[in-house]
Amino acid sequence: MKELELKNLYDDFRDAKTIKAYAKIIAEDAKKLKRPINIMEVCGGHTHTIMKFGLPQLLPSNINFIHGPGCPVCIMPKERIDHAYVLSMQENVILVTLGDMIKIPGSNGSLQDARAKGADVRFVYSPMECIKIAHENPDKKVIFFAIGFETTTPMTAVLVKEVISKKIKNILFHINHVTVPEVMVELIDSRDVHVDSYNNEIDAFLGPSHVSVISGSKIYEKFPKDYERPVVVTGFEPVDAMQGISMIIKQFLEKRCELEIQYKRVVSYDGNLKAQDLINTYFEKMSLFRWRGIGNVPDSGLKLRDEYAQYDAEKVYSSVLPISQIEDHKLCICGDILRGMAKPKECTIFGTACKPTSPVGSCMVSSEGACAAYYKYGNLTFSTTT
Amino acid sequence: MCLSIPSKVVKISEDETMCTVDTMGVKRDANLMMMEDGDVSLGDYVLLHIGFVMNKIDEEEALSSIDTYKEILNHMDEEERQRAILEDDECAARGATYTEEIKSNEGT
Ligand code: SF4
Ligand code: SF4
């Protein structure tokens, strides 16, 4: 096993002493637990933090992490990627999107492949860059392929608002925004049905702080109340994650089941009301969104409201967009991983046929995906020496 | 990743839709349209996400986390420092590959 190298830029973003101190508190508290507990981190950002800083190795064996579905890239089903691909191949279209979407294989190939075939696919830092692109290409249609959870949705809403108020005619939207609480419900419910061979019942959740910066912690209220699962909204630095975990354990010891915020420096109960308002003005719930590996989750996706249909690329281009659902490669167990039913190393092609350089499934493509995190950091041990 | 180094607002545009923030010495523009009018003032600490101000950060908290980052950034050379700060506003929604992507886009 390699030792974690602190020389690495990001590995330094933490306070080793504090982490060690938390590890001690957790170890002592965990001894008093009556049974092991499984904590699901909903967001890929947390999976990344947990793996990168070797937190599982730091924690007692009765604290188990279950990795959740939470990366906008990982959960994108192939048919939506096919939509992006097909749109990018249309004449006079510039397809604009964010991040790792580029490498995810669809059934015809990835957006990278589309680009190699001559499609104009662009990756931007911020959705607002679409305005400039549209301005510079008045004879083309700019289609923004929007992805992301609650965190990113209001940014797309601002772009919609600008497009409407500035009467920009050549920007369209393909909306793939999804919401976190609905999929959490789905994960809990689906476990009640399955006989659970991994003993991986979800006992508590770490909620991603960035989602709640926008939506507030209130979106998780029903989990302690109706589902008896504590939720702690937690930041992404390793110190934050450790504190969040410690807060969960304390709840179990004190027989509490509550919604708590670890990341109080930016997260409030109500969140950013203006951003929520923007979301509600332009988007409404889709009755179903199919999550990769998880399947149809009621009310978990958003779409443009009907009155903005003229901006909706899914409607405008409906005649060319494929409608069939496409399943993953047979050997790929991303689905089980996203449901928290398996760990990446249980996949028979992990690290062999499937690597970050030649990913088979999205969990390996996305830099926040569980498989990518295990591939990169899975063999590290934790050390606080430099 | 959502590490979120707090940024300080150093300029606000006349129509209050944009501002300039200073993230530990690196300046960039950010969109203010997700914040209520008048909510953000000069000198406030804010959290950025893909070019937008998402919310304010409590000043005391901001300063103490900046101290932690400072210590780390001190160990880097200028180029590394710039990159670290700019990439900090990154998340799964964009991923680590995007910086290279943008660079290669610029190249063409
Ligand atoms: S913004 Fe943060 S919480 Fe949202 S997906 Fe990205 S890493 Fe996760
Ligand atoms: S290792 Fe690759 S093929 Fe296996 S589950 Fe992960 S992404 Fe899918």
Side-chain angles (χ1 to χ4, degrees), chain A residues 13-28:
Chain A
F13 277 97
R14 60 179 179 151
D15 181 351
K17 275 196 217 111
T18 320
I19 294 180
K20 272 202 148 170
Y22 270 119
K24 244 176 133 180
I25 297 174
I26 292 173
E28 265 154 39

Side-chain angles (χ1 to χ4, degrees), chain A residues 9-10 12-13 48 98-100 102 115 125-126 152 155 162 210 214 236-237 263 266 272 274 367-368, chain B residues 1-2 4 31 33-35 50-52 54 56 69 72 76 87 89 92-94 96-98 101 105:
Chain A
L9 205 60
Y10 289 110
D12 279 331
F13 277 97
H48 209 76
L98 310 167
D100 283 338
I102 183 168
R115 192 141 87 171
Y125 163 70
S126 170
T152 333
M155 286 84 176
E162 286 294 281
H210 270 43
I214 300 297
F236 286 87
E237 289 173 60
Y263 199 70
V266 237
N272 182 331
K274 169 141 187 214
S367 54
E368 312 279 308
Chain B
M1 289 235 301
C2 292
S4 359
N31 193 300
M33 290 167 70
M34 257 171 53
M35 300 299 290
I50 55 171
F52 283 80
M54 289 174 79
K56 289 206 283 193
Y69 293 121
I72 297 149
M76 299 175 193
E87 284 180 6
D89 172 31
R94 296 180 300 115
T97 45
Y98 109 95
E101 260 317 299
N105 274 346

Side-chain angles (χ1 to χ4, degrees), chain A residues 26-39 59-65 203 249:
Chain A
I26 292 173
E28 265 154 39
D29 284 347
K31 276 190 215 142
K32 298 177 226 152
L33 286 170
K34 298 226 161 49
R35 60 175 181 91
I37 57 173
N38 298 318
I39 302 174
L59 293 174
S61 58
N62 58 345
I63 307 296
N64 180 35
F65 288 108
D203 297 307
I249 298 171

